[in-house]
Amino acid sequence: MNFKAPHIITEGAISYELGSLKGREIKYDFDKILVYLDAKGKLLFGKKFRIYREDREILYKLSLYFIQDKERCKQLDIDVDKGLLLSGPVGCGKTSLMKLFKFMVPHQRPYEVIPSRNIVFGFNHLGFKIIGDYGNNQSFCFDDMGVEPDGVHFGKECNVMGEILLSRYELFTDHRLKTHATTNLNAQELEARYGNRVRSRMRELFNLVGFDKDCRDKR
């Protein structure tokens, strides 16, 4: 990674210039960002990956968020200091995009994408230690949140992801540490799954960015 030119990303023998440097400020070019995302997506997920024209609006919002364009984000009611909750129907590409976008800003703090159901399986095996493990100072994106089962450890039931979100909220308020997530559920379904207290914390933790409910299945 070139820290002096974080807008230039090299993949193999090819360099992708996502914009231009004006003094100490990067002027990003959205079309150049899309070229990079398409190329990196093919490297990560195979040659069938592609950027869809109908996703242009959501890709624009995500790009503005990740490049921290505070002025334009404010116009779109996106808070660059919060995390992202990317919602949409099954197969619309949420997980792939969250795995992909972090490569666009290698100079920013990285996050790990973890399936929520895997966290619950870890709880069933190891118990409450798992909740502490995800309430630490790392950054995470909890994938497919809301459809994971409840955890059970030695007969004790626990809404594992709900408890972890409460821990992540404390990290956000105390240390401004971001949390991201993807979900197939809408706001009412999330509240039914996690309860009103967690849902209110989620409003403070996340910017909600959503695919259209009629978005095509891209799998």
Side-chain angles (χ1 to χ4, degrees):
M1 176 182 29
N2 187 344
F3 285 99
K4 291 183 178 178
H7 62 297
I8 300 173
I9 302 177
T10 302
E11 299 287 350
I14 303 173
S15 289
Y16 297 89
E17 198 164 332
L18 307 186
S20 56
L21 208 54
K22 304 286 186 187
R24 298 183 67 180
E25 188 181 352
I26 301 168
K27 295 287 186 185
Y28 282 94
D29 182 316
F30 181 53
D31 288 319
K32 289 179 178 178
I33 287 173
L34 293 182
V35 169
Y36 170 72
L37 292 174
D38 187 65
K40 183 64 176 178
K42 285 178 169 59
L43 287 173
L44 287 175
F45 310 117
K47 291 182 179 177
K48 287 185 178 178
F49 177 88
R50 69 186 182 92
I51 296 294
Y52 290 83
R53 183 178 293 276
E54 66 260 35
D55 294 341
R56 195 176 171 90
E57 184 182 340
I58 205 160
L59 290 166
Y60 182 64
K61 286 180 182 177
L62 292 173
S63 297
L64 292 177
Y65 173 83
F66 278 101
I67 65 175
Q68 298 277 286
D69 188 326
K70 294 181 181 180
E71 194 174 313
R72 288 185 195 169
C73 279
K74 192 174 182 181
Q75 292 168 0
L76 295 168
D77 202 24
I78 295 172
D79 184 340
V80 294
D81 294 321
K82 291 183 180 183
L84 285 174
L85 177 59
L86 186 57
S87 71
V90 173
C92 67
K94 303 180 296 294
T95 305
S96 297
L97 290 181
M98 289 307 292
K99 286 180 176 178
L100 182 56
F101 263 94
K102 66 178 182 174
F103 290 100
M104 195 184 87
V105 282
H107 53 294
Q108 291 182 19
R109 184 188 186 115
Y111 56 85
E112 192 176 349
V113 180
I114 308 277
S116 296
R117 63 197 299 270
N118 290 9
I119 297 172
V120 175
F121 294 154
F123 174 87
N124 294 346
H125 180 57
L126 297 170
F128 287 86
K129 173 184 180 296
I130 285 291
I131 293 171
D133 287 347
Y134 288 97
N136 63 21
N137 288 334
Q138 276 183 271
S139 290
F140 296 103
C141 173
F142 300 126
D143 190 35
D144 238 359
M145 204 173 66
V147 295
E148 75 284 349
D150 274 345
V152 183
H153 183 69
F154 285 110
K156 285 190 175 180
E157 290 190 14
C158 179
N159 188 328
V160 177
M161 292 309 301
E163 291 297 325
I164 288 173
L165 286 173
L166 292 174
S167 297
R168 301 298 301 181
Y169 174 75
E170 287 180 20
L171 284 169
F172 176 67
T173 54
D174 294 346
H175 305 291
R176 311 314 290 172
L177 190 68
K178 292 179 186 177
T179 302
H180 306 300
T182 73
T183 186
N184 305 331
L185 305 186
N186 61 33
Q188 291 76 24
E189 290 167 330
L190 285 168
E191 186 164 330
R193 179 72 184 83
Y194 296 119
N196 185 49
R197 181 176 174 225
V198 173
R199 173 67 187 130
S200 70
R201 298 290 188 268
M202 289 174 74
R203 288 191 190 97
E204 295 179 63
L205 267 176
F206 298 121
N207 294 287
L208 180 59
V209 178
F211 281 88
D212 190 278
K213 66 181 185 340
D214 298 320
C215 178
R216 78 164 96 173
D217 190 330
K218 303 183 181 79
R219 293 171 299 178

